[in-house]
Amino acid sequence: MRTVFWDYETNETKMIDQRLLPETLAIAAYHRHADVATAIREMVVRGAPAIGAAAGFGMALAALESKAADAAGLRADLEAAAATLRVARPTAVNLAWALDRMLRAAGKVDGSADDLREAMLNEAQRIADEDVEINKRMAEHGAALIEDGDTIIHHCNTGALATVDWGTALGVIRTAYEQGKRIHVLVDETRPRLQGARLTAWELQQYGIPYEIISDNAAGYFLRSGQVQRVFFGADRVAANGDVANKIGTYMLSLAAHDNGVPAYSVVPTSTIDLSLAHGDEIPIEERTPDEVLGLHLLGRRVAPEGAGARNPAFDVTPNRLVTAIVTENGVVYPPFDVNLKKVVKS
Amino acid sequence: MRTVFWDYETNETKMIDQRLLPETLAIAAYHRHADVATAIREMVVRGAPAIGAAAGFGMALAALESKAADAAGLRADLEAAAATLRVARPTAVNLAWALDRMLRAAGKVDGSADDLREAMLNEAQRIADEDVEINKRMAEHGAALIEDGDTIIHHCNTGALATVDWGTALGVIRTAYEQGKRIHVLVDETRPRLQGARLTAWELQQYGIPYEIISDNAAGYFLRSGQVQRVFFGADRVAANGDVANKIGTYMLSLAAHDNGVPAYSVVPTSTIDLSLAHGDEIPIEERTPDEVLGLHLLGRRVAPEGAGARNPAFDVTPNRLVTAIVTENGVVYPPFDVNLKKVVKS
């Protein structure tokens, strides 16, 4: 089953509700684009490529929702829907990328409103299908970087759940494992939303890949004591100079890898690379509700005292000097990133 | 109320049960040294100086428990009790330091078994009383490093709860605040046991010092974006070269501070400095039960999938190059630590 897909019987966008995993595997169904925007905001679906695919299907829903009788009227409704979806989350550029692609496709349709509705669904389906194919290509390129016997630290979730299927960084690990390489994964639990402990652990368990969960704090210990050979993570947006915005904690993890001479790889589809931004510091960083930090229970007890406040930035920027290479579907990109990233991004 | 104290009416060692905070403030009472060892192991009491004081009172209990009729017999029982207490936790040197001090005091008593029993309680009480006085002196030295308007990241809990009273790093912050300096504390939640979110937040709330909790992963974001002026933490053991073993995550936090030119201070009584170890890599690092990582619930749901494993090192070593200064009761020690630490440790 794909993480995000279109149900052709009910004409709904469906997705695994990732908030309920690993306890419950439930499918959420949406027939309004505004509800897809809410699902993205509330992280029913998360992971940059999965968000992009969900936004594409959200636009297909918007086309069906619209009462417009002609293509021009429908295009106006699609513009409005794109504006609603675009602000759901700010950091992952795949959201804007998918919406822009859908709007470009809409602009090319020379026909009726129904032709445009059909084109929208077709384009959204193409985005989803291509994502799976792109992930497989990334995985092949990235798996060559992994050696038999490696222990790998992985941050957040970048697997099938973060994409339409297969995954980015976790897809690389999965492919290396299927190639017969013996791998052990140390899974960063990834506070505050614990995508590592909840989602990556669940995926690895299903794939039969050996793993252990560690608190994010412990990554430095394992790196410094020589127990780790590589670090892998995804990205939500990569700037033209190779600065990587990714799940909060990636910067400190990359620092610790760098301090110990352990290579750190970001695995991304080229749709995550934003050549319009010169530096990572231009990437907008989402700050989410303090409840994600404060709503924690340990052994049945609430953790933070009543009345406590919290800050909750969801992403940080890892400067390019700490990134060994960026793995894309078009090959592995090494520094200088400002020169070499351009070569793999199709204009 | 002190975190660890002797009840002279019941002849018991009492301590705040820190596992229950912040929900419940409960006092645990022990009349057997073996139960004090268990309390240390299970972290009813934690924090290097508090562990030292608890071990001292544990020895006073052992003296009362012993049926020995003469001092020589009692000394043998005390040796056995010290052996039991010594292995409760391996990393904080204050445990061994307090036990050695108690045994030295026992060796000096020239009198009856009851004289020795009385001497043991007196020595334990002195360790506790001195800890408070030492903390106040550290706090004065350290507070001079804090400027009005500083935002400070603090890791783990180093407050009154980690000591007999007042605290080490948090004691410094508290004294600076009482001097009228406007301070904002970003409290690392400190996975896996969340001493920051549970204990430091609770203390700061009581002292009226403004704070916000952050996930440990977020420290790098705040440091890199220029929002933090200093980093403070305690230590469980400092090697002769200034390498600092402290709560897991301190190494990555110190790396991020260093990468952004933000000073990072370790605040310790000289009883935490172990001149017998040349380097931090000789410090034994405790690995605790995976349950501390896996027993987490977020919004009412268990986080990790059934069957997941975990690794759980409780401490890491921060190399001296990342430590700006070490604050002790005898003054602030700057590099070269291998030369300057010797000057503040009384032999």
Side-chain angles (χ1 to χ4, degrees):
Chain A
M1 188 204 313
R2 287 182 169 185
T3 296
V4 185
F5 60 97
W6 187 265
D7 185 328
Y8 284 88
E9 289 184 14
T10 62
N11 272 336
E12 287 173 314
T13 300
K14 292 191 169 176
M15 49 188 83
I16 296 174
D17 188 340
Q18 303 194 32
R19 300 169 306 178
L20 307 180
L21 286 172
E23 260 186 2
T24 308
L25 176 59
I27 308 299
Y30 303 100
H31 58 272
R32 295 191 311 188
H33 73 276
D35 294 336
V36 172
T38 303
I40 292 171
R41 190 177 311 116
E42 296 182 351
M43 296 177 69
V44 174
V45 62
R46 30 67 51 199
I51 289 171
F57 287 127
M59 290 292 282
L61 286 178
L64 294 183
E65 286 170 74
S66 169
K67 305 270 187 282
D70 59 13
L74 180 48
R75 270 190 204 99
D77 286 347
L78 288 171
E79 290 278 0
T84 299
L85 286 158
R86 197 179 294 270
V87 295
R89 294 193 73 193
T91 303
V93 73
N94 305 62
L95 176 57
W97 171 87
L99 295 171
D100 290 340
R101 179 168 159 173
M102 293 297 289
L103 291 174
R104 270 201 312 277
K108 285 180 192 155
V109 174
D110 183 19
S112 69
D114 279 345
D115 291 342
L116 181 45
R117 289 187 178 94
E118 192 184 334
M120 287 292 89
L121 178 54
N122 289 343
E123 187 69 9
Q125 186 63 55
R126 256 193 303 272
I127 289 174
D129 292 343
E130 286 174 16
D131 185 61
V132 183
E133 186 251 330
I134 282 169
N135 287 343
K136 294 285 180 73
R137 282 161 58 196
M138 279 192 292
E140 289 292 330
H141 291 304
L145 302 168
I146 294 176
E147 291 184 22
D148 186 42
D150 276 355
T151 292
I152 298 168
I153 293 183
H154 176 275
H155 195 64
C156 195
N157 173 266
T158 65
L161 290 168
T163 59
V164 175
D165 199 2
W166 202 258
T168 58
L170 203 62
V172 165
I173 290 169
R174 192 172 167 186
T175 293
Y177 181 75
E178 294 200 349
Q179 290 172 348
K181 291 173 182 168
R182 282 160 300 181
I183 289 167
H184 189 82
V185 184
L186 292 176
V187 176
D188 265 3
E189 64 175 12
T190 318
R191 282 286 290 151
R193 288 189 67 107
L194 298 155
Q195 291 93 333
R198 293 195 301 115
L199 307 178
T200 299
W202 183 75
E203 286 200 41
L204 289 170
Q205 204 147 302
Q206 298 195 35
Y207 310 148
I209 303 175
Y211 75 92
E212 285 161 312
I213 298 170
I214 60 173
S215 73
D216 307 300
N217 276 336
Y221 169 85
F222 289 105
L223 284 159
R224 194 160 179 277
S225 53
Q227 300 180 54
V228 179
Q229 284 70 49
R230 359 226 137 230
V231 168
F232 274 92
F233 44 82
D236 292 80
R237 194 183 306 214
V238 177
N241 71 340
D243 288 353
V244 171
N246 190 47
K247 180 52 52 196
I248 193 78
T250 305
Y251 166 50
M252 293 170 88
L253 171 61
S254 302
L255 264 178
H258 188 263
D259 197 45
N260 293 286
V262 174
Y265 300 106
S266 173
V267 185
V268 296
T270 53
S271 55
T272 300
I273 301 170
D274 184 354
L275 294 179
S276 77
L277 299 185
H279 299 281
D281 293 341
E282 299 172 26
I283 299 172
I285 300 295
E286 177 183 14
E287 184 152 348
R288 295 182 61 85
T289 169
D291 294 347
E292 293 183 352
V293 177
L294 300 172
L296 199 68
H297 286 70
L298 184 72
L299 309 172
R301 289 190 193 87
R302 186 185 147 93
V303 165
E306 288 296 329
R311 293 288 304 274
N312 185 21
F315 304 93
D316 60 26
V317 173
T318 298
N320 57 12
R321 66 188 148 88
L322 304 177
V323 179
T324 305
I326 297 170
V327 180
T328 76
E329 73 273 23
N330 296 327
V332 179
V333 182
Y334 289 92
F337 292 120
D338 53 353
V339 173
N340 293 336
L341 278 176
K342 289 191 191 89
K343 298 178 188 167
V344 297
V345 179
K346 279 182 261 178
S347 59
Chain B
M1 188 204 312
R2 288 183 170 185
T3 296
V4 185
F5 59 97
W6 186 266
D7 185 328
Y8 283 88
E9 290 185 13
T10 62
N11 273 336
E12 287 172 314
T13 300
K14 293 191 170 178
M15 49 187 83
I16 296 173
D17 188 340
Q18 303 194 32
R19 301 169 305 177
L20 307 181
L21 286 173
E23 261 186 1
T24 308
L25 175 59
I27 308 298
Y30 303 99
H31 57 272
R32 296 191 309 188
H33 74 276
D35 294 336
V36 171
T38 303
I40 292 170
R41 190 177 311 113
E42 296 182 352
M43 297 177 68
V44 174
V45 63
R46 30 67 50 200
I51 288 171
F57 287 127
M59 291 292 283
L61 285 179
L64 295 184
E65 287 169 75
S66 169
K67 305 270 187 282
D70 59 15
L74 180 48
R75 270 190 203 97
D77 287 345
L78 287 171
E79 291 277 0
T84 299
L85 285 158
R86 197 179 293 271
V87 296
R89 295 193 72 193
T91 303
V93 73
N94 305 62
L95 176 57
W97 170 88
L99 295 170
D100 291 340
R101 179 167 158 173
M102 293 296 291
L103 291 174
R104 269 201 314 277
K108 285 179 191 156
V109 173
D110 183 19
S112 69
D114 280 343
D115 292 340
L116 181 45
R117 289 187 179 95
E118 191 184 335
M120 287 292 91
L121 178 54
N122 289 343
E123 188 69 9
Q125 186 63 55
R126 256 193 302 273
I127 289 175
D129 293 343
E130 286 173 15
D131 185 60
V132 183
E133 186 251 328
I134 282 169
N135 287 343
K136 294 284 180 75
R137 281 162 58 197
M138 279 193 290
E140 290 292 329
H141 292 303
L145 302 168
I146 293 176
E147 291 185 21
D148 186 42
D150 276 355
T151 292
I152 298 168
I153 293 182
H154 175 276
H155 196 64
C156 197
N157 173 267
T158 65
L161 291 168
T163 59
V164 176
D165 199 1
W166 202 259
T168 58
L170 203 62
V172 165
I173 290 169
R174 191 173 168 185
T175 293
Y177 180 77
E178 295 200 349
Q179 290 171 348
K181 291 174 182 167
R182 283 160 301 181
I183 289 168
H184 189 82
V185 184
L186 292 176
V187 176
D188 266 3
E189 65 176 11
T190 317
R191 284 285 290 150
R193 288 188 67 107
L194 297 155
Q195 292 94 334
R198 292 195 301 115
L199 307 178
T200 299
W202 183 76
E203 286 199 41
L204 289 172
Q205 203 147 304
Q206 297 194 36
Y207 310 149
I209 302 176
Y211 76 92
E212 286 162 310
I213 299 170
I214 60 173
S215 73
D216 307 300
N217 277 335
Y221 169 85
F222 289 105
L223 284 159
R224 195 160 178 277
S225 53
Q227 300 180 56
V228 179
Q229 284 70 49
R230 1 228 136 227
V231 168
F232 274 92
F233 45 82
D236 291 80
R237 195 183 304 215
V238 176
N241 72 340
D243 289 352
V244 171
N246 190 47
K247 180 52 53 194
I248 192 79
T250 304
Y251 165 50
M252 292 171 87
L253 172 61
S254 303
L255 263 178
H258 188 262
D259 197 46
N260 293 286
V262 174
Y265 300 106
S266 174
V267 184
V268 296
T270 54
S271 54
T272 300
I273 300 169
D274 185 353
L275 295 178
S276 77
L277 299 185
H279 299 282
D281 293 341
E282 298 172 28
I283 299 172
I285 299 296
E286 176 184 15
E287 184 152 347
R288 295 182 62 85
T289 168
D291 294 347
E292 294 184 350
V293 177
L294 299 172
L296 198 67
H297 286 69
L298 184 71
L299 307 171
R301 291 190 193 86
R302 185 185 147 95
V303 165
E306 287 297 329
R311 294 286 304 274
N312 185 21
F315 304 93
D316 60 26
V317 173
T318 298
N320 57 12
R321 66 186 148 90
L322 303 177
V323 179
T324 305
I326 297 169
V327 180
T328 77
E329 73 273 23
N330 296 327
V332 180
V333 183
Y334 290 91
F337 292 121
D338 54 352
V339 174
N340 293 336
L341 278 176
K342 287 191 193 90
K343 299 177 188 167
V344 297
V345 179
K346 281 182 259 176
S347 58

